[in-house]
Amino acid sequence: MRLTSVLFTALCSLASLAASQAQTAPTDTLHAPPPALPGLYADPHLAAFGDTYYLYPTTDGMAGWGATSFTCWSSKDLVKWRNEGVILDLPRDLTWAAKNAWAPAIATKNGKYYFYYSAAQSIGVAVADRPTGPFKDPLGKPLVAKGQFKGQMIDPMVLVDDDGSAYLYFGQGQCHVVKLNADMVSYDPATVVEFKPPGYNEGSFAFKRQGKYYLMWSEYDTRDPRYSVAYATASSPLGPFTKADHNPVLKGRGVVQGAGHHSVLQVPGTDQWVMAYHRFHIPGGNGYNRETCLSPMRFDAQGNILPVLVFEVVKPTKIKKPTPVARP
């Protein structure tokens, strides 16, 4: 009787697992879910400030990636997005670059918001009092200039660690990381660490979870249908990073092609994670016509990133207000 009960429980567990997998691994790969944003946008950086989510993408849809400005989008639930308009216009707001506005990122510190971006194959930084800008150039020159280091000086990303230290990751063809000064707009060039994980091309993104540092990046070229995302881990934000055994963690499938150049967000107050990325526009898209998507990202018990399903969309998720701490 006991054996029969155990067997019945095991069969129920297997049935439940199979049902769960059936829900998250669709067999129909010809009908992809709609993109998160309307229109052509790529290289999305997803962030959360206060009770609001924000997306900072590259404006897409032109040969040669010739965009000249950046927009910001806001949402209360990760599903309905509002266009907050242009937050940085290169010809209007910069003196050193007028085009090739690519791959932005944002970080906050000192009560300010720091917007890092690619322009004219260099990396700039702009500062604002609000996540939606307006952003102003505090330097009047690139933060990282074209040709300053090996590779192409694009695709910035900043990780602010638990102790307030901030680290800038950047580079196409070669990965670089450097600790920023407290002002968030300067660094010591002599301390830049250069390395290239196996398969690394561009779009580095770093985050920390349960004391472990994760470095993610895009492999292949953004015009290649095989464009995908891989990752490595380390015990320090400066590395050395060891590439995980099971990669890539994001790749196209079926009608979804060119899935990559992502960012990752931990929903505040939870261990729920979301990946923002772009794919070729459906139908008929390519490396110049891409659209932004959001999908859940999960970990196993050992902290390995599980494959992200490009046919799974995020559910409406509001940011919960922190529970007040009762005073004695």
Side-chain angles (χ1 to χ4, degrees), residues 161-185:
D161 209 347
D162 300 333
D163 63 358
S165 299
Y167 300 86
L168 171 68
Y169 299 80
F170 63 94
Q172 187 272 332
Q174 182 86 10
C175 192
H176 309 76
V177 57
V178 64
K179 184 176 180 180
L180 292 170
N181 293 330
D183 62 8
M184 297 289 282
V185 299

Side-chain angles (χ1 to χ4, degrees), residues 28-46:
D28 180 4
T29 62
L30 298 178
H31 300 88
L37 301 181
L40 300 175
Y41 295 95
D43 314 327
H45 184 102
L46 179 62

Side-chain angles (χ1 to χ4, degrees), residues 166-297:
Y167 300 86
L168 171 68
Y169 299 80
F170 63 94
Q172 187 272 332
Q174 182 86 10
C175 192
H176 309 76
V177 57
V178 64
K179 184 176 180 180
L180 292 170
N181 293 330
D183 62 8
M184 297 289 282
V185 299
S186 65
Y187 61 94
D188 181 356
T191 63
V192 171
V193 178
E194 297 185 349
F195 60 103
K196 187 174 182 178
Y200 178 92
N201 181 36
E202 62 188 9
S204 56
F205 190 91
F207 66 93
K208 186 179 183 180
R209 178 181 183 268
Q210 298 181 0
K212 182 186 296 185
Y213 295 89
Y214 293 75
L215 177 70
M216 308 181 77
W217 63 85
S218 292
E219 301 190 338
Y220 298 103
D221 185 271
T222 190
R223 293 163 291 189
D224 191 322
R226 298 173 297 171
Y227 200 53
S228 51
V229 171
Y231 81 100
T233 59
S235 59
S236 162
L238 297 173
F241 288 92
T242 302
K243 189 173 182 178
D245 292 331
H246 301 290
N247 272 303
V249 292
L250 176 75
K251 63 179 181 178
R253 182 180 176 208
V255 71
V256 175
Q257 297 185 335
H261 205 125
H262 76 302
S263 60
V264 165
L265 171 71
Q266 180 180 14
V267 176
T270 75
D271 193 34
Q272 181 179 344
W273 295 75
V274 179
M275 180 183 286
Y277 57 94
H278 70 238
R279 69 187 185 200
F280 287 3
H281 179 264
I282 300 172
N286 53 34
Y288 300 110
N289 294 275
R290 301 162 295 179
E291 53 193 9
T292 287
C293 302
L294 302 179
S295 294
M297 188 179 85

